[in-house]
Amino acid sequence: MLYLAQVHKNDFSGQYQLHLLARQESENFWLTISDSVTLAIETLILLGNENTISNNLLVLVEISANGEIETVQDAKDWVINLVQTYLSTGVTPEFLKHEAEKMESWQQNLTLQNQDLARRSLELEARREQIEALEEKHQNYDLRD
């Protein structure tokens, strides 16, 4: 599973650790990880006390099902891509909320229109049945004469 993590240097041991911040649930859906969940997973040891990694660095880390670190990469390019894709278009949370409200309004309007069409369809079917009944009654009346 892919995680966004922050590198921390443990002052006591001198080893670098990962603090998990979020995990990828699907291609465009991530969940933040609360501290209580992180504590349950435990902070992961990363690269011992190597000097090739920076404290507070954001990284993307692939962790296998058995909890082993498979890959670690700098998250800079990933964050820049997020900024370019989602934040450079001027789309704000307020804009998204407004658009969601518009969609909800359209959906309600379409539901009302659908209900009105269904009601009219039933009315037309009832009128058709009345006309057929009148035609049958009229034919029966003509046959008696």
Side-chain angles (χ1 to χ4, degrees):
M1 183 168 282
L2 188 61
Y3 290 86
L4 175 65
Q6 186 174 26
V7 175
H8 288 287
K9 186 172 186 177
N10 184 315
D11 292 330
F12 179 71
S13 68
Q15 293 183 315
Y16 287 98
Q17 300 173 327
L18 293 177
H19 177 74
L20 302 178
L21 303 173
R23 79 172 168 268
Q24 184 178 32
E25 295 292 316
S26 65
E27 184 179 348
N28 290 313
F29 183 69
W30 287 70
L31 285 177
T32 56
I33 299 173
S34 67
D35 287 333
S36 61
V37 173
T38 303
L39 291 174
I41 294 176
E42 295 183 10
T43 304
L44 302 170
I45 305 295
L46 173 72
L47 300 178
N49 50 8
E50 301 247 348
N51 293 329
T52 59
I53 197 154
S54 301
N55 198 31
N56 294 324
L57 179 69
L58 286 178
V59 294
L60 291 173
V61 58
E62 185 76 33
I63 301 176
S64 68
N66 59 356
E68 293 182 22
I69 297 171
E70 294 179 349
T71 62
V72 176
Q73 66 183 42
D74 187 340
K76 181 185 118 190
D77 292 338
W78 181 76
V79 170
I80 295 298
N81 184 45
L82 285 178
V83 169
Q84 289 173 339
T85 304
Y86 298 106
L87 302 177
S88 65
T89 60
V91 174
T92 63
E94 293 80 22
F95 173 79
L96 293 174
K97 182 179 178 184
H98 178 70
E99 291 299 306
E101 289 170 354
K102 280 177 32 179
M103 274 184 26
E104 179 66 28
S105 176
W106 291 341
Q107 187 177 23
Q108 289 174 358
N109 192 9
L110 288 172
T111 300
L112 290 174
Q113 288 177 6
N114 190 29
Q115 290 172 345
D116 188 46
L117 285 172
R119 181 187 53 79
R120 288 180 183 192
S121 178
L122 288 173
E123 287 175 358
L124 284 172
E125 181 64 25
R127 286 182 185 161
R128 187 186 61 75
E129 288 174 0
Q130 288 175 343
I131 290 170
E132 286 177 356
L134 285 173
E135 285 175 346
E136 188 176 315
K137 186 177 180 182
H138 188 305
Q139 286 176 352
N140 289 340
Y141 184 75
D142 286 344
L143 291 175
R144 282 194 238 157
D145 289 339

